[in-house]
Amino acid sequence: MDIDTQVRHITKPGANLFRELGFAPSEAERFQAESRQQINDTQVLKEQLMGELSKWISDNHLKQADAAQILMVSRPRVSDVVNMKSSKFTIDTLVNMLSRIGKPVRLAIG
């Protein structure tokens, strides 16, 4: 059995994927806007969580290696937090890290 791996279409950066999938133009625009909003909301939440972790590291005058040990992650992961590399983390991971330092996270929906 052969697996077909031929590339038949490449979506250009910035293109509306929903339009390319065949949705009506108005519906595609709505889906695109909703998608961008969800991505933005996730980004903001991650940045807030990372900001709390960075503040804790700074307030406690911790070296990244010491923070890594307490957070039970590698030192490069702490560097990623401090440098706000949010794409490298899930919200769950950041919530777990905050929990380990006694900062439980509560979500307010508004």
Side-chain angles (χ1 to χ4, degrees):
M1 181 169 117
D2 291 332
I3 298 174
D4 183 2
T5 59
Q6 182 179 356
V7 176
R8 291 181 177 73
H9 179 78
I10 297 174
T11 301
K12 294 179 181 173
N16 186 324
L17 178 64
F18 300 103
R19 183 173 282 174
E20 291 195 22
L21 288 171
F23 288 93
S26 63
E27 196 173 26
E29 292 303 318
R30 183 173 55 85
F31 287 155
Q32 181 84 348
E34 288 173 6
S35 174
R36 285 189 174 140
Q37 184 61 52
Q38 288 175 356
I39 291 167
N40 184 59
D41 291 347
T42 300
Q43 180 72 19
V44 167
L45 183 53
K46 285 180 180 184
E47 288 172 0
Q48 288 175 338
L49 297 170
M50 295 173 92
E52 284 296 319
L53 285 164
S54 293
K55 183 178 181 315
W56 170 79
I57 292 167
S58 176
D59 289 350
N60 289 285
H61 309 287
L62 295 172
K63 293 180 181 174
Q64 288 185 2
D66 297 331
Q69 204 169 26
I70 295 166
L71 294 169
M72 294 189 270
V73 297
S74 66
R75 203 244 1 114
R77 291 291 277 168
V78 173
S79 176
D80 291 339
V81 167
V82 171
N83 291 306
M84 302 297 279
K85 294 184 179 178
S86 60
S87 65
K88 294 189 173 204
F89 294 91
T90 63
I91 291 171
D92 287 350
T93 299
L94 295 167
V95 168
N96 287 336
M97 291 169 75
L98 284 161
S99 177
R100 288 184 189 124
I101 60 171
K103 290 186 174 243
V105 175
R106 293 205 172 120
L107 179 63
I109 300 171

